[in-house]
Amino acid sequence: MSVVRTENIYKTFGTLEVLRDVSLTVDQSEVLAIIGPSGAGKSTFLRSLNNLEKITDGKIFIDDILVEERRHGHAVHKLPHKKHVEMMLKMGMVFQRFNLFPHMTAAENVMLSPVNVKKMSRSDARALAEEQLEKVGLSDKVNEYPAKLSGGQQQRVAIARALAMNPEIMLFDEPTSSLDPELVGEVLVVMKNLAKSGMTMIVVTHEMGFAREAANRVVFMADGMVAEEGKPEEIFTNPQNPRAKQFLKSIL
């Protein structure tokens, strides 16, 4: 069963075409890595899935339900607001920046959405926060404020915060790009464990090692389009697209 499907997605900012005819399907428990040069449209595609960016044309399906269809910038199909919110809550997202509230502890940051969105009691949300922080290896940091945490630890809190909403799919937008090199590994370990647990994941990343080891499928994007996709061993050992060959040769 497909968890996410897009058909012929286009996105323009003024005269700039950022996404061009992007059609992708992500199945349950699949880990899809999206790679490519800066400006390829990777992050815009991810942000379009959870409504942070409005597509210009195309269709977005979640759990095989048409969530949105737009033509020439106008909605021709959209779910009722309550149903749309319900579908968006199926996705958790982790950004490049951690966006933690500095005046809240790690646990309080994780508790925030369960309390405010799901109306969970503070005691239940606290127990949930401690459980999720333990999953990302931070059981000893539940009462620490972000300023006392390393970048890698803050990003792991951000992952725990997203997991606390019990999403069906996790979206990662270059989650290690703002980290010092020595801190990248601890975040990737958490992501690999998530992948092993069967979580459906779409990961925009520059970490080729992660894409090679943890992904079931790799998509190479360039100029707003899907230029090539396939199994990691195919993409990394024998890419067919000239842009993909050039990109991988320059970074590997």
Side-chain angles (χ1 to χ4, degrees):
M1 172 180 163
S2 69
V3 179
V4 174
R5 186 168 88 252
T6 66
E7 294 181 2
N8 314 112
I9 294 293
Y10 287 80
K11 173 64 181 177
T12 58
F13 292 103
T15 58
L16 180 63
E17 200 167 48
V18 181
L19 295 176
R20 293 193 280 169
D21 200 21
V22 178
S23 296
L24 282 173
T25 298
V26 183
D27 292 332
Q28 192 166 13
S29 298
E30 184 177 21
V31 178
L32 178 72
I34 303 179
I35 64 172
S38 296
K42 307 181 300 295
S43 293
T44 300
F45 174 72
L46 211 62
R47 291 169 64 86
S48 297
L49 295 179
N50 68 351
N51 210 38
L52 291 175
E53 297 286 358
K54 288 289 187 187
I55 59 174
T56 306
D57 285 275
K59 299 177 182 179
I60 298 175
F61 297 81
I62 306 293
D63 286 345
D64 286 330
I65 294 173
L66 179 59
V67 174
E68 187 159 25
E69 179 180 2
R70 294 176 76 86
R71 293 179 196 156
H72 309 299
H74 300 289
V76 295
H77 171 86
K78 190 169 183 179
L79 291 175
H81 177 72
K82 186 176 180 181
K83 183 66 174 178
H84 189 264
V85 170
E86 178 188 322
M87 300 306 287
M88 292 301 100
L89 287 175
K90 291 176 180 283
M91 291 183 281
M93 187 158 183
V94 178
F95 300 87
Q96 297 176 30
R97 295 288 173 184
F98 327 123
N99 300 323
L100 301 180
F101 288 104
H103 62 289
M104 294 182 175
T105 64
E108 288 167 343
N109 269 282
V110 176
M111 291 167 60
L112 196 61
S113 290
V115 169
N116 290 334
V117 178
K118 290 197 167 181
K119 307 305 179 187
M120 190 178 287
S121 71
R122 289 192 64 82
S123 59
D124 286 347
R126 174 74 188 199
L128 175 64
E130 291 178 358
E131 177 187 338
Q132 298 302 335
L133 288 167
E134 184 177 2
K135 279 185 185 176
V136 299
L138 292 175
S139 55
D140 60 334
K141 303 293 184 183
V142 292
N143 295 317
E144 294 285 3
Y145 289 90
K148 293 289 185 70
L149 301 174
S150 70
Q153 289 169 337
Q154 289 186 59
Q155 190 61 296
R156 284 189 280 157
V157 173
I159 294 173
R161 177 180 58 189
L163 291 174
M165 293 297 285
N166 194 30
E168 288 185 14
I169 180 169
M170 285 286 287
L171 311 176
F172 291 89
D173 186 10
E174 297 185 17
T176 60
S177 64
S178 62
L179 298 178
D180 293 332
E182 68 271 18
L183 301 176
V184 168
E186 66 189 63
V187 174
L188 293 180
V189 165
V190 171
M191 293 170 62
K192 287 176 183 176
N193 288 338
L194 265 181
K196 288 176 185 174
S197 75
M199 174 64 75
T200 308
M201 297 164 62
I202 304 177
V203 185
V204 170
T205 183
H206 290 299
E207 297 295 333
M208 296 302 118
F210 173 85
R212 197 168 196 159
E213 295 167 29
N216 304 109
R217 187 160 47 105
V218 175
V219 165
F220 173 77
M221 288 186 68
D223 302 320
M225 298 182 292
V226 174
E228 187 168 355
E229 64 177 295
K231 293 186 179 299
E233 57 267 28
E234 296 167 354
I235 298 294
F236 287 106
T237 61
N238 191 29
Q240 301 301 304
N241 180 273
R243 288 291 303 276
K245 286 181 181 179
Q246 180 186 13
F247 174 76
L248 290 168
K249 184 180 179 181
S250 70
I251 64 171
L252 293 178

